[in-house]
């Protein structure tokens, strides 16, 4: 299981130190939640944050755009160092075009679905994505409880990978802890985002190790 610490829960004053800590602990991805105050109530980082982060880590920068009409920002985030860019199917009427833009910008394309969105909504674009993000909480806030019913969607996606020959990663985001990550892995998830579980702890590096151990 690839572990993707989310900086939404990091200490912004000591952000570089936090990033270096999880990097040295073996986390492969760094998850960056971009929020516009429209698609979700909160507001967070812009492309400038990504530009500042890129030189301090070689981790894969996994950018999750929780913004309305994400097509407007794809090129900026790709230029500033995003390796993966995720867009919500609920946030644009042109999901195919948004994913094409990501590919054309040189990043890996990810489609994201909220807890209330069925897998059927993204079936037409699964052939073109590198990753699918299943939100296991409602987007916009950290520290929420894992929604067990989202496991069925992970299972459905895993089944589609097998029957259709797809090779996308399945990422989960929300309420990921040592006692929930194993269920996600068993259902077919390959990448797990964790924010408060890692950065709210006294030993973030130890939390990364605990998550990895839980899926062995």
């Amino acid at each position: 299981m690839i572990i993707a610490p989310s900086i939404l829960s990091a200490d912004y004053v000591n952000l570089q130190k936090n990033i270096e800590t999880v990097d040295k602990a073996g986390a492969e991805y760094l998850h960056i939640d971009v929020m516009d105050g429209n698609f979700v109530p909160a507001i967070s980082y812009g492309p400038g944050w990504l530009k500042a982060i890129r030189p301090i880590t070689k981790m894969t920068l996994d950018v999750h755009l929780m913004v309305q009409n994400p097509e407007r920002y794809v090129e900026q985030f790709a230029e500033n160092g995003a390796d993966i860019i995720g867009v919500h199917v609920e946030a644009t009427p042109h999901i195919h075009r948004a994913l094409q833009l990501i590919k054309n910008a040189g990043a890996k394309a990810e489609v994201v679905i909220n807890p209330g969105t069925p897998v059927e909504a993204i079936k037409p674009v699964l052939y073109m994505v590198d990753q699918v993000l299943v939100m296991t909480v409602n987007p916009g806030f950290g520290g929420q409880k894992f929604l067990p019913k989202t496991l069925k969607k992970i299972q459905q996606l895993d089944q589609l990978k097998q029957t259709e020959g797809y090779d996308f990663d399945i990422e989960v985001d929300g309420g990921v802890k040592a006692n929930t990550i194993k269920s996600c892995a068993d259902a077919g998830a390959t990448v797990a985002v964790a924010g408060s579980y890692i950065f709210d702890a006294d030993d973030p590096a130890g939390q990364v190790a605990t998550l990895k151990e839980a899926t062995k």
Side-chain angles (χ1 to χ4, degrees):
M1 178 76 83
I2 292 170
I3 304 301
S6 170
I7 63 169
L8 187 63
S9 299
D11 177 357
Y12 297 161
V13 176
N14 296 292
L15 185 57
Q16 181 170 350
K17 182 180 178 181
N18 280 185
I19 291 171
E20 290 171 347
T21 295
V22 294
D23 193 348
K24 291 175 182 175
E28 298 92 343
Y29 287 6
L30 190 68
H31 192 77
I32 300 168
D33 288 308
V34 178
M35 300 182 284
D36 65 354
N38 186 11
F39 182 67
V40 292
I43 297 174
S44 66
Y45 330 100
W49 282 70
L50 194 67
K51 188 175 182 179
I53 291 169
R54 180 71 283 177
I56 64 176
T57 182
K58 292 183 179 179
M59 282 189 289
T60 296
L61 297 186
D62 180 26
V63 177
H64 176 192
L65 297 182
M66 286 181 273
V67 303
Q68 203 69 39
N69 300 316
E71 303 94 321
R72 298 174 294 166
Y73 306 107
V74 164
E75 194 170 318
Q76 281 180 287
F77 279 98
E79 288 177 351
N80 285 358
D83 295 299
I84 302 169
I85 299 177
V87 291
H88 278 258
V89 68
E90 306 91 352
T92 174
H94 304 291
I95 188 62
H96 189 281
R97 183 171 69 188
L99 294 167
Q100 277 187 325
L101 287 171
I102 295 169
K103 293 275 196 179
N104 292 343
K108 290 185 177 181
E110 173 186 74
V111 65
V112 188
I113 53 173
N114 284 336
T117 303
V119 169
E120 284 73 15
I122 58 171
K123 277 186 177 180
V125 297
L126 288 178
Y127 75 94
M128 66 189 299
V129 302
D130 301 288
Q131 188 162 282
V132 177
L133 171 52
V134 177
M135 292 300 301
T136 46
V137 297
N138 285 298
F141 301 97
Q144 299 182 63
K145 290 184 178 180
F146 182 84
L147 298 173
K149 288 191 179 295
T150 56
L151 289 170
K152 184 177 180 181
K153 289 195 281 189
I154 301 168
Q155 293 168 344
Q156 289 175 319
L157 287 163
D158 186 57
Q159 185 62 37
L160 284 168
K161 286 176 66 175
Q162 297 176 44
T163 58
E164 301 296 331
Y166 298 139
D167 63 354
F168 53 77
D169 277 309
I170 301 173
E171 184 174 47
V172 291
D173 182 1
V176 172
K177 301 180 179 181
N179 64 345
T180 56
I181 194 171
K182 182 65 163 59
S183 297
C184 293
D186 289 345
T190 54
V191 184
V193 177
S196 55
Y197 179 79
I198 291 174
F199 288 116
D200 286 356
D202 293 332
D203 181 16
Q207 297 294 82
V208 172
T210 298
L211 289 175
K212 284 186 168 291
E213 185 63 30
T215 59
K216 287 184 177 178

